[in-house]
Amino acid sequence: MCLTIPGKIESIDDVGIATVLSSREKAQIDLSLVSDVYPGDWILYASNRAVKAISEEDAKEIIALLEDNYSQVDVSRLPLQFKKIIYKVRSGNSDLTKDEIVYLLNLKGKNNLETLYAEANTLRKDRIKDFVCIHGIIEFSNYCKNLCLYCGIRKGNKVERYRMKREEIVKAARQAVDEEGYKLLVLQSGEDDEYSDDDLIKIVAEIKKELRVFVFLSVGERSINFYKKAYEAGASGALIRFETSDPEFYSELRPGHKLDDRLKLIKQMTELGYYMATGNIVGLPGQSLESLADDLLLIKKLNAPMISSGPWLPAKGTPLVQVESRKSKVESLEIMLKYIAVARFLMPEAKIPVTTALETLDPENGRHKGLLAGASALMFSLTPEKYAGDYSIYDNKYREREKVWQKYGLFKGEESYEMLADRLKV
């Protein structure tokens, strides 16, 4: 479910409440969910409830995962405009102007960038603590009827196509929940009409009947009537990106589609009660910083509780792969990290996942860098191995699920589901 901060037990009172000291705080923690712990032991806890007893070695490893590694900031060297924005954010004002957003996205130099990331990370810790949620994605079909210029599974592209059967999807969900401890699953596909509305609704209903898990949908544009029935069947949320806030650019990127239709659907689903994840593609060829700023302001206007944005990566066989990109992987990673930090400034309490695209840019340190720039969640692919390599929305997709995150961040049982429900407010 979530990677939580570890603490060392200082004392335990007669009713099982422990005084726990962590690197961030001293807290009173309910020990009713763990047993055989004593002063001096280490535990993981969230929402003032212990979730797991761990060794000191494990505790130090978790702290290292979440620990800042920035150099000490020389505030005197910061530009005056940057100082003003920092003070504004620190005062609790998240209403940054477009010019301020563009300024932050255009920052250069180690001191400026480390200050930006450190301030965003501090804001994350202040608002949502060290509570890094781990969610799973089951990519159940790579068929798609659309001709989006950026996507590797666009209609007609040469990839090995697959569709998972209902039984396979449910089995993958069962394994994720019962064997690994996942509490939130995203069912994702291309826009594949081979699955009828009723097919998808039955899959959601079966998973919800059998498993204690939140189900999010990422199946593209379907009717609001479908999404209403899926919500009634048990779907809690949905991931629908708007890709870009520029209507003309949107229609170029997604031939035959209009941005207004996409935004209308997102708003209607929000009204239905869906926990919405939405966002854009960062670093598209020809995209300006002003356009990125508009994207961020649109996410805030939509009041989306989860930001789903990721860097553009080339995909074989797509029109955009023919467009020369002037950005190196280092440059693409930098703009994405700046984007995450600014998103945290604008939306201090939003859930911001580290996407697999970011991990593809930097397989060794992408997750860590994303979290230290203000991100607060991880998304792991749970697609069965025989299909996973064919969900190629971009080239060289990173698919590793580091065991260290799963070891510490996934807890079985009703309590972990309730903790996530409290965080999602669903």
Side-chain angles (χ1 to χ4, degrees):
M1 183 195 75
C2 293
L3 177 65
T4 60
I5 190 168
K8 188 175 184 179
I9 299 174
E10 287 193 331
S11 62
I12 305 174
D13 66 18
D14 293 339
V15 293
I17 302 298
T19 300
V20 174
L21 181 65
S22 74
S23 58
R24 311 277 187 237
E25 62 182 355
K26 179 178 281 191
Q28 301 299 114
I29 304 299
D30 182 351
L31 296 178
S32 60
L33 300 181
V34 299
S35 59
D36 297 325
V37 290
Y38 305 92
D41 290 345
W42 287 82
I43 58 170
L44 290 177
Y45 65 93
S47 304
N48 296 323
R49 300 170 75 182
V51 292
K52 190 175 184 180
I54 59 174
S55 68
E56 182 175 357
E57 181 181 359
D58 287 348
K60 290 179 178 179
E61 189 170 2
I62 298 169
I63 292 169
L65 288 173
L66 300 174
E67 195 66 38
D68 297 353
N69 58 359
Y70 301 120
S71 305
Q72 186 170 358
V73 173
D74 184 354
V75 178
S76 66
R77 291 172 52 203
L78 296 179
L80 178 60
Q81 186 174 355
F82 191 15
K83 288 181 184 178
K84 288 181 178 179
I85 296 174
I86 292 297
Y87 293 147
K88 180 178 180 178
V89 173
R90 285 182 177 181
S91 71
N93 187 350
S94 61
D95 292 325
L96 301 184
T97 66
K98 181 176 177 179
D99 286 344
E100 289 172 330
I101 294 171
V102 171
Y103 175 83
L104 293 175
L105 292 173
N106 202 36
L107 284 172
K108 301 281 193 298
K110 182 178 179 181
N111 193 59
N112 287 338
L113 293 179
E114 290 202 347
T115 299
L116 176 68
Y117 304 149
E119 288 289 331
N121 193 35
T122 297
L123 186 58
R124 175 188 64 82
K125 292 174 187 174
D126 179 61
R127 295 300 184 93
I128 57 179
K129 310 300 181 185
D130 282 314
F131 198 87
V132 179
C133 290
I134 302 170
H135 309 316
I137 302 178
I138 300 172
E139 299 144 329
F140 63 89
S141 169
N142 69 349
Y143 280 86
C144 190
K145 64 183 180 182
N146 294 325
L147 292 167
C148 301
L149 272 60
Y150 49 84
C151 185
I153 62 170
R154 70 196 299 263
K155 182 180 179 180
N157 216 22
K158 293 182 179 179
V159 296
E160 189 70 27
R161 300 287 177 174
Y162 72 88
R163 288 188 179 101
M164 289 173 61
K165 298 177 181 178
R166 177 187 58 80
E167 296 83 0
E168 292 179 292
I169 299 171
V170 175
K171 180 181 178 181
R174 186 185 303 116
Q175 179 176 339
V177 176
D178 289 346
E179 297 182 22
E180 301 186 65
Y182 281 89
K183 292 296 181 289
L184 190 154
L185 299 177
V186 180
L187 303 183
Q188 186 174 77
S189 70
E191 292 197 19
D192 184 0
D193 289 339
E194 187 69 19
Y195 297 90
S196 69
D197 288 355
D198 285 344
D199 290 335
L200 295 179
I201 290 166
K202 287 177 181 177
I203 290 169
V204 171
E206 186 169 349
I207 291 174
K208 289 296 294 184
K209 180 180 180 181
E210 183 176 337
L211 303 168
R212 189 71 158 150
V213 64
F214 293 101
V215 175
F216 279 38
L217 295 173
S218 179
V219 295
E221 291 181 28
R222 291 189 176 233
S223 71
I224 192 62
N225 185 53
F226 158 73
Y227 279 112
K228 182 176 185 295
K229 291 180 178 178
Y231 186 79
E232 291 169 349
S236 301
L239 191 164
I240 302 183
R241 287 183 177 178
F242 58 77
E243 314 299 18
T244 174
S245 57
D246 182 329
E248 291 185 8
F249 193 24
Y250 181 90
S251 293
E252 291 176 15
L253 292 170
R254 306 192 72 233
H257 294 266
K258 296 180 180 179
L259 178 60
D260 283 347
D261 294 337
R262 193 78 155 187
L263 297 180
K264 180 181 178 182
L265 179 60
I266 291 171
K267 291 172 184 176
Q268 288 176 324
M269 292 175 67
T270 300
E271 291 171 358
L272 279 177
Y274 274 90
Y275 187 97
M276 293 302 299
T278 191
N280 62 323
I281 303 174
V282 178
L284 286 161
Q287 187 181 54
S288 66
L289 295 183
E290 287 76 14
S291 180
L292 277 180
D294 286 334
D295 294 345
L296 281 163
L297 290 169
L298 177 55
I299 297 172
K300 182 163 185 172
K301 182 179 179 181
L302 291 170
N303 198 28
M306 184 185 293
I307 300 171
S308 175
S309 298
W312 172 73
L313 291 172
K316 293 183 181 68
T318 62
L320 279 192
V321 82
Q322 307 301 328
V323 179
E324 182 181 357
S325 174
R326 297 179 182 178
K327 291 187 178 69
S328 65
K329 281 191 174 184
V330 172
E331 292 171 320
S332 296
L333 178 64
E334 182 179 289
I335 188 61
M336 191 65 224
L337 294 176
K338 288 192 283 188
Y339 180 95
I340 290 171
V342 178
R344 177 59 63 200
F345 284 0
L346 272 172
M347 293 156 275
E349 297 184 5
K351 185 185 289 292
I352 306 177
V354 175
T355 65
T356 52
L358 179 61
E359 295 159 355
T360 299
L361 285 173
D362 186 350
E364 187 173 343
N365 295 305
R367 287 176 184 149
H368 191 59
K369 289 177 179 177
L371 293 173
L372 294 188
S376 60
L378 301 174
M379 290 279 191
F380 289 166
S381 173
L382 306 179
T383 307
E385 188 66 27
K386 65 179 179 178
Y387 302 124
D390 295 321
Y391 200 81
S392 50
I393 53 178
Y394 47 81
D395 296 344
N396 305 311
K397 185 178 177 184
Y398 184 72
R399 296 194 290 115
E400 293 298 319
R401 288 187 277 151
E402 296 173 18
K403 289 182 170 57
V404 64
W405 293 100
Q406 294 196 151
K407 176 182 177 182
Y408 301 129
L410 296 173
F411 308 111
K412 299 176 184 179
E414 177 67 18
E415 295 80 11
S416 59
Y417 181 92
E418 291 174 355
M419 289 179 197
L420 185 56
D422 179 64
R423 290 282 169 162
L424 295 178
K425 299 295 188 296
V426 294

